[in-house]
Amino acid sequence: MKLTIRKIVARKILDSRGRPTIEVDVHVDDGKNTAFGRAAAPSGASKGKLEVVDFPRGGVDEAVEKAKRIAPKLAGIDAFDQRQVDEALREIDGTPNLSELGGNTTVAISMAVAKAAASIKKVPLFRYLGGDEVCELPFPLGNVIGGGKHAGGYAPDFQEYLVVAVGARRFSEASFTNALVHKKVGEMFSEANSSFTRGKSDEGAWSPNICNEGALEFLARACEAISDEVGFAVRPALDVAASSFYDSESGVYNYRREAVTRDRGEHLDFILELIEKFKLFFVEDPLHEEDFEGFAELTKKVGNKCLICGDDIFVTNVKRIETGIRLKAGNAIIIKPNQIGTLTDAFKALELAKRNNYLPVISHRSGETTDETIAHLAVAWRCPMIKTGVVGGERIAKLNELIRIEEELGDRARMSGLR
Ligand code: PGA
Ligand code: ZN
């Protein structure tokens, strides 16, 4: 039976930074019943240069107007055929970087179509997309200390100091363990410095006045303390977001917090030293977004003990991933559906990466909404990790949805393998 898209309602809503973003409702009917799916798009602060364009020139208002007019153009398509829907969205846009409609407009429609289809079948999205067999939960990768473009003042240059409870046996246990680490680090900062305001950055991570390595020392100590408390391994991780402090003109990394610059070799050695010293489980964007060779060098040196993950360098884009595979750059990849603009394209990126032994990590953006779609994608697409923060309403929207999914899977639920 064919599923017809009858109407698209679009609106401007707030994201977690109070900025406008787009939410859409897609209304469908299968000849007998009607249903609708709703999805909202997030937005980044440290975007990769080669991501699709998020909004058309007129911003969210133009995106909203354009989204409302798309339904008749999709009416001939079977909405159960996600690939066809997504191809049509690309065709309607007509540009390679989705600048006409905006990648946030297309991704919101794409996700809402899938949710509407799941709704009419009366199954949760993860089952609709993943089938009846899916039963693996991802490990949550949570942001504990924020710096770089997500913070300000004297926060570190590195963007995210992360935690992953690698020894947890259940998703809920892993999430609560991350929350314990977040709380512990807050207490440690307060004890160490009475002027610490308990201020937080964009993703609900603490935002202290501290140097890059100093922040890692606190995080590593908190991971050890909580690991002893819960009785399983809890490991520190990092998103360097190196492009955000790389000066492409002079070719050096500008460590503002420490008032030093490091050339490529010095920067790479520093990252290597931190991986070894703090036994980091995962390091994202350790080098700037064009340095495939640097990624390859680091992967060769430490890839057997640390995940070297690409975000800005791959931008969920098959062509960029192909280059990475050829050069052996990294062994993990961030998947952000709005970096590429449709579910189908994000899935293609993920499958290519998986086939080539890259560990996929589905991810939120720093500017989020309470949309919970990526929680379902993590399970449907068998992502071993989900990066979606530790605290804050827009972050726990995904974590709590995964707790519900874990409950629904019951005895069948198990954690993904991380290696
Ligand atoms: P964003 O970055 O601010 O672009 O969402 C998050 C990240 O780098 O992982
Ligand atoms: Zn990143």
Side-chain angles (χ1 to χ4, degrees):
M1 201 178 293
K2 187 188 161 206
L3 188 64
T4 308
I5 294 170
R6 291 288 177 214
K7 189 162 97 170
I8 295 178
V9 180
R11 64 184 69 84
K12 178 160 80 174
I13 63 164
L14 296 149
D15 77 7
S16 54
R17 280 190 277 255
R19 295 195 194 138
T21 189
I22 187 168
E23 177 175 86
V24 302
D25 300 346
V26 170
H27 294 260
V28 294
D29 111 49
D30 68 357
K32 273 207 331 233
N33 299 304
T34 61
F36 88 101
R38 172 174 293 162
S43 62
S46 71
K47 286 188 241 167
K49 259 196 324 229
L50 295 173
E51 293 186 20
V52 296
V53 174
D54 51 4
F55 289 109
R57 226 177 260 178
V60 181
D61 291 321
E62 184 180 335
V64 164
E65 282 317 306
K66 285 182 166 167
K68 285 182 192 161
R69 293 200 296 265
I70 287 174
K73 297 179 189 155
L74 298 176
I77 294 173
D78 182 357
F80 286 130
D81 190 341
Q82 187 72 36
R83 179 181 289 251
Q84 237 198 316
V85 171
D86 290 341
E87 277 169 12
L89 286 170
R90 280 208 165 269
E91 252 170 58
I92 294 165
D93 178 275
T95 68
N97 60 1
L98 298 176
S99 56
E100 187 57 35
L101 295 172
N104 272 6
T105 317
T106 55
V107 86
I109 297 174
S110 177
M111 297 191 303
V113 166
K115 286 164 114 177
S119 169
I120 210 141
K121 291 209 161 187
K122 297 191 170 54
V123 292
L125 183 65
F126 75 89
R127 252 193 236 294
Y128 171 69
L129 292 174
D132 282 339
E133 329 76 65
V134 289
C135 59
E136 285 175 35
L137 277 297
F139 282 85
L141 179 61
N143 194 351
V144 178
I145 307 167
K149 285 196 173 165
H150 291 177
Y154 290 98
D157 301 291
F158 297 159
Q159 185 175 281
E160 297 165 35
Y161 292 74
L162 303 151
V163 59
V164 52
V166 294
R169 289 142 302 194
R170 291 180 60 80
F171 180 84
S172 54
E173 185 177 54
S175 291
F176 279 105
T177 303
N178 286 357
L180 287 176
V181 171
H182 185 278
K183 180 162 176 273
K184 180 85 185 166
V185 167
E187 287 164 2
M188 287 163 73
F189 284 152
S190 291
E191 266 167 44
N193 185 345
S194 58
S195 68
F196 177 54
T197 62
R198 299 182 71 79
K200 291 180 190 160
S201 56
D202 279 354
E203 294 178 357
W206 301 113
S207 174
N209 172 357
I210 198 166
C211 70
N212 291 295
E213 192 168 344
L216 261 183
E217 268 157 24
F218 276 88
L219 175 66
R221 266 201 284 134
C223 285
E224 262 175 47
I226 299 302
S227 173
D228 287 346
E229 192 181 316
V230 295
F232 53 76
V234 181
R235 299 272 298 274
L238 204 57
D239 181 359
V240 176
S243 295
S244 63
F245 60 100
Y246 177 68
D247 180 348
S248 53
E249 265 170 38
S250 48
V252 298
Y253 291 88
N254 206 341
Y255 283 73
R256 201 181 42 95
R257 181 61 180 68
E258 282 138 49
V260 295
T261 56
R262 291 188 170 94
D263 67 21
R264 183 173 177 270
E266 290 164 338
H267 171 77
L268 211 143
D269 285 346
F270 183 49
I271 299 291
L272 261 174
E273 198 184 304
L274 297 178
I275 291 174
E276 311 245 327
K277 181 169 173 193
F278 296 101
K279 299 192 177 53
L280 299 180
F281 181 76
F282 163 105
V283 177
E284 183 176 329
D285 286 352
L287 295 134
H288 74 84
E289 62 205 312
E290 293 304 337
D291 194 357
F292 282 94
E293 288 78 14
F295 266 77
E297 194 178 327
L298 195 59
T299 310
K300 197 168 168 202
K301 285 186 171 144
V302 289
N304 57 345
K305 49 189 167 192
C306 177
L307 290 168
I308 303 297
C309 182
D311 172 12
D312 294 346
I313 191 172
F314 295 138
V315 291
T316 318
N317 179 315
V318 161
K319 286 210 179 89
R320 299 285 293 182
I321 299 166
E322 278 165 356
T323 306
I325 292 165
R326 187 161 40 80
L327 297 173
K328 298 189 165 59
N331 54 15
I333 179 175
I334 291 286
I335 300 287
K336 292 171 171 166
N338 86 323
Q339 278 183 332
I340 195 68
T342 67
L343 280 185
T344 301
D345 286 324
F347 183 69
K348 278 186 196 160
L350 169 118
E351 285 296 299
L352 174 66
K354 265 194 196 170
R355 278 200 304 279
N356 290 279
N357 297 318
Y358 281 69
L359 185 139
V361 182
I362 192 123
S363 170
H364 67 168
R365 305 299 308 241
S366 51
E368 265 294 337
T369 70
T370 49
D371 184 284
E372 76 304 350
T373 310
I374 59 165
H376 288 262
L377 297 183
V379 178
W381 292 353
R382 298 176 171 88
C383 290
M385 288 210 270
I386 183 168
K387 189 179 179 217
T388 188
V390 182
V391 293
E394 72 284 5
R395 316 292 152 189
I396 63 169
K398 286 78 166 163
L399 297 172
N400 288 343
E401 186 72 356
L402 280 157
I403 288 175
R404 293 179 205 110
I405 293 174
E406 181 167 64
E407 178 189 273
E408 174 164 348
L409 289 168
D411 292 345
R412 292 172 55 221
R414 55 192 170 86
M415 294 302 280
S416 289
L418 274 175
R419 282 275 167 170

